[in-house]
Structure formats: C-alpha cells, structure tokens
Amino acid sequence: SKLGLEYVTTGGSTGTPLGFYQERVVSSAKEWAFMITQWNRVRFKMGDKRVILRGNVIQSANKGKFWEYNPIDKTLILSSYHMTEEILPKYIKKIKDFQPDFIHVYPSTIIILARFMEENNIKPFSSVKALLCGSENLYSWQRDLLERVFQCRVFSWYGHSEMAVLAGECEKSTNYHIFPEYGFVELIGKNGNLISREEETGKIVATGFNNNAMPIIRYKTGDLGVYTEKKCPCGTNYPLLKRIEGRLQEIVV
C-alpha cells in the first residue's frame, strides 16, 4: 500500500501483547465496513448517534468534565473510570439530553450503569434502538439484566485486534454468525481434530483474509467456542458459533 504500514499491538489479555503490522488506513477502513454491516442487523446506519462507554480516557476528567463529543462520528464519549454514585446521575441526564440511537459499550461498563438505574428505578432511554456490546464475553446474566433495564435489543459480536475472525449475532438469534469473507475459523478439540458434534466446545483457531501486510494463519486465539451445525432462520448461510465460552483461563489477581 502507498499509505504504508503501521505497527499495532493487542491488549495482551492472553498474556504478552502480540505486535503486528497492518496497512495504514486501509485496514481500519475494512474493519469499519464489516462492523457497519454487522450493526445493520439492528438497524444501525451511518450518521446515527452513539454514546460510547468503552474505556476511553477523557482528557478533561480532572477538571470535572467526564465526557467529550465527536461531531464527525456523532459520538458522545463517557469516561468509564468515574462511574460513581455521584457521577452516574450526570451521565444519565447527559444521555437523555443527547438522545442516542445506540449505546456502544463494554459489557462490564454498561453493567455498572444498568445496576444503578435498576436500583434507583430509572426508566430506559426511549431513543435507544440497541446496545452494541463488544470486546468482552457477554454472559447470560448480563444480557438478562441489560434487556430488563434498557428494554431494547442487546447485540453482541466477537472479534480481535488481530483481525483474523469476526462473528456477530443477527436479527433472529444470538448465535454468532462467522463472516467467511473476513477469515476462516476452525474449532479444534482436545485431540487436535476438528469439532463436529452439536454443543461441543473447542479452541477457536482463525486465519484472517484482510491484512495483506502481515497475514495471520491458523492463529490460536485462546478463546473457546461452542459448535452448532444448525442453520439460522435469518437465512444467512454463515457458519455459526452457538456461544463464546471465553478464554482458556481468566485470572484476577
């Protein structure tokens, strides 16, 4: 690419961060195109307003302003590092006044807001069509709480900084639909063979198709997925993962 290469690293959630090269601008443009295609399933379109609660650092937070607005993306970005009982009512008012179409979150951050809203009998935001939950495993108890509090669709997807695999839910189910044009995904069992039995859990191994600068081949993601051979009623003939079971090990020190 004439635009050159950029060096990026993963979050390091599997241990040591992985560093790799990608095409500057081109890779992020491809990624955004796939994400929009995915969000289309819950009626997202370019120009819709989003609240973002995903670990962004807000520079003005030390001055008492815990949010910033990006007029280009129409995004209101809230700090996830100041979600206290004193600050959360301000967040709720800010979201109500902003009237977002979607709230784009980490499950762990939106859960804090959801619990506060439920404990204080705060009504859901009427403008919000869906919660866009990514970058973390979404557990069933989290989905139940979010649906109860926000009274809208909770939409989850699965992907990586390494851009080897991308899969998301659809209009009809919470199965993860694997984008075949994004990457090739294998579920590998303990014996090293491909998994082919319904409800069996295996290691997710992926080969990416969209990084010409540094292709990632049969990458061991460190995640576990649950196999299903069933087809989705949405009509998209994509391979499915019934669930993402999270990492091979999750440790809190």
Side-chain angles (χ1 to χ4, degrees):
S1 169
K2 293 180 180 179
L3 295 171
L5 306 179
E6 60 182 346
Y7 185 74
V8 295
T9 59
T10 66
S13 55
T14 53
T16 305
L18 172 71
F20 61 96
Y21 287 95
Q22 65 182 20
E23 295 172 282
R24 192 184 307 276
V25 179
V26 175
S27 293
S28 57
K30 287 179 181 177
E31 185 75 8
W32 185 228
F34 274 102
M35 291 309 302
I36 290 175
T37 301
Q38 194 156 241
W39 294 349
N40 282 162
R41 292 183 175 275
V42 284
R43 298 180 293 150
F44 177 89
K45 60 183 184 299
M46 290 290 287
D48 282 348
K49 295 194 293 183
R50 282 180 293 147
V51 163
I52 296 181
L53 196 53
R54 283 174 52 86
N56 299 76
V57 175
I58 306 301
Q59 298 299 329
S60 60
N62 58 358
K63 299 177 182 177
K65 183 185 174 188
F66 305 104
W67 48 77
E68 59 188 35
Y69 178 64
N70 183 335
I72 297 174
D73 294 335
K74 292 186 179 178
T75 52
L76 175 67
I77 307 165
L78 304 177
S79 170
S80 60
Y81 300 104
H82 300 85
M83 300 180 73
T84 65
E85 290 198 2
E86 295 76 29
I87 303 298
L88 284 173
K90 297 179 181 179
Y91 279 20
I92 290 166
K93 184 180 185 305
K94 198 75 181 174
I95 294 170
K96 284 181 178 176
D97 292 344
F98 185 59
Q99 294 189 316
D101 300 294
F102 297 89
I103 303 181
H104 183 190
V105 297
Y106 291 154
S108 60
T109 54
I110 194 64
I111 284 295
I112 299 171
L113 180 61
R115 282 176 172 154
F116 181 87
M117 290 174 66
E118 187 168 60
E119 290 168 2
N120 292 278
N121 297 313
I122 296 169
K123 294 181 179 178
F125 307 111
S126 58
S127 63
V128 175
K129 300 173 187 174
L131 303 182
L132 306 173
C133 299
S135 303
E136 295 174 355
N137 200 15
L138 179 67
Y139 298 100
S140 57
W141 69 266
Q142 292 175 319
R143 186 187 296 275
D144 292 343
L145 173 61
L146 296 175
E147 288 177 346
R148 186 168 70 243
V149 170
F150 290 96
Q151 296 292 302
C152 68
R153 173 67 193 271
V154 177
F155 181 83
S156 178
W157 70 93
Y158 167 72
H160 294 109
S161 303
E162 300 90 319
M163 297 184 294
V165 53
L166 185 66
E169 297 175 4
C170 75
E171 308 91 326
K172 302 283 187 180
S173 79
T174 57
N175 290 328
Y176 289 86
H177 297 54
I178 300 168
F179 279 101
E181 62 271 64
Y182 189 97
F184 181 73
V185 176
E186 301 166 87
L187 274 187
I188 306 297
K190 292 180 180 179
N191 56 6
N193 295 331
L194 284 173
I195 279 177
S196 58
R197 289 188 300 177
E198 190 72 19
E199 289 281 348
E200 192 175 359
T201 301
K203 300 174 185 177
I204 298 174
V205 176
T207 298
F209 294 156
N210 291 309
N211 185 1
N212 295 328
M214 186 174 169
I216 294 177
I217 300 171
R218 301 204 76 211
Y219 176 65
K220 296 178 180 178
T221 64
D223 295 330
L224 301 173
V226 178
Y227 177 80
T228 180
E229 62 182 6
K230 296 176 181 177
K231 298 301 178 184
C232 185
C234 74
T236 304
N237 194 26
Y238 283 2
L240 303 177
L241 293 172
K242 189 164 187 177
R243 292 187 307 278
I244 306 295
E245 292 287 4
R247 300 221 169 259
L248 290 170
Q249 56 180 347
E250 296 188 63
I251 300 172
V252 177
V253 179

